[in-house]
Amino acid sequence: MVITMACDHAGFQMKEEIKEYLISLGHEVKDFGTFDEESCDLSDFVYPAAMEVARGKADRGIFCDGVGYGSALIANKLNGCYAAVCQDPVCAALARQHTDSNILCLGAKIIGGLMAMETVKTWLNTEPLTEEKYRRRVKKVCEINDKHCFPVK
């Protein structure tokens, strides 16, 4: 699987730990930065990483910032990006099962490294539910996306 990663200064250490784990599993990781803990603007890194998902050049994205919501707000502006903020494995399972999220956003100021790693493992290994009611709900979200978000060029 091709996974994009991005972070700001607050999420740098978490991103690095997760990246190492993903590479150990054989995933291709495209790291869009930041590459240190110096103060920076999150959108400079999340936006290009999310664009890779939107363009179909990556299967999924994992973004780390202070709380997670900044990354999700940026990513969810792009057609085809379905970003979920998750603080634990339960949230991660539901984000995959119920919404088929393709971007995971984590808050390094909210959860520690162990919880983040378990959340990533769950999110990576959980498939969307296939019952008709869940497929219908995901389809409706995709239709809203397609109606209001323009394809990324």
Side-chain angles (χ1 to χ4, degrees):
M1 185 180 317
V2 178
I3 302 171
T4 62
M5 294 197 75
C7 67
D8 65 1
H9 50 284
F12 172 71
Q13 288 297 328
M14 180 177 284
K15 180 199 68 159
E16 292 299 304
E17 291 173 22
I18 294 168
K19 179 171 69 172
E20 184 177 309
Y21 170 71
L22 296 173
I23 291 169
S24 77
L25 294 178
H27 296 292
E28 178 185 342
V29 175
K30 294 182 176 183
D31 186 348
F32 285 81
T34 189
F35 300 102
D36 57 40
E37 292 179 321
E38 188 171 325
S39 183
C40 64
D41 296 335
L42 180 63
S43 58
D44 293 343
F45 307 100
V46 167
Y47 176 61
M51 286 288 284
E52 290 288 293
V53 176
R55 290 180 172 137
K57 294 181 179 181
D59 302 298
R60 296 197 198 169
I62 299 176
F63 307 152
C64 305
D65 64 48
V67 183
Y69 294 108
S71 293
L73 286 169
I74 295 162
N76 282 326
K77 300 290 185 203
L78 300 176
N79 187 354
C81 289
Y82 303 97
V85 179
C86 299
Q87 294 90 3
D88 57 52
V90 173
C91 292
L94 292 171
R96 289 287 301 140
Q97 291 173 336
H98 290 250
T99 68
D100 194 12
S101 64
N102 58 4
I103 295 175
L104 173 63
C105 300
L106 300 166
K109 292 181 179 178
I110 306 299
I111 61 175
L114 178 60
M115 185 63 75
M117 200 60 68
E118 291 303 313
T119 301
V120 168
K121 289 176 187 177
T122 299
W123 186 77
L124 285 174
N125 294 304
T126 302
E127 294 298 323
L129 295 172
T130 58
E131 295 171 45
E132 193 278 328
K133 69 179 181 180
Y134 298 109
R135 288 193 326 258
R136 181 184 70 241
R137 293 170 185 166
V138 168
K139 183 179 180 221
K140 286 181 178 184
V141 172
C142 291
E143 288 170 352
I144 292 167
N145 173 83
D146 293 345
K147 183 177 179 179
H148 296 285
C149 295
F150 298 104
V152 176
K153 296 178 182 184

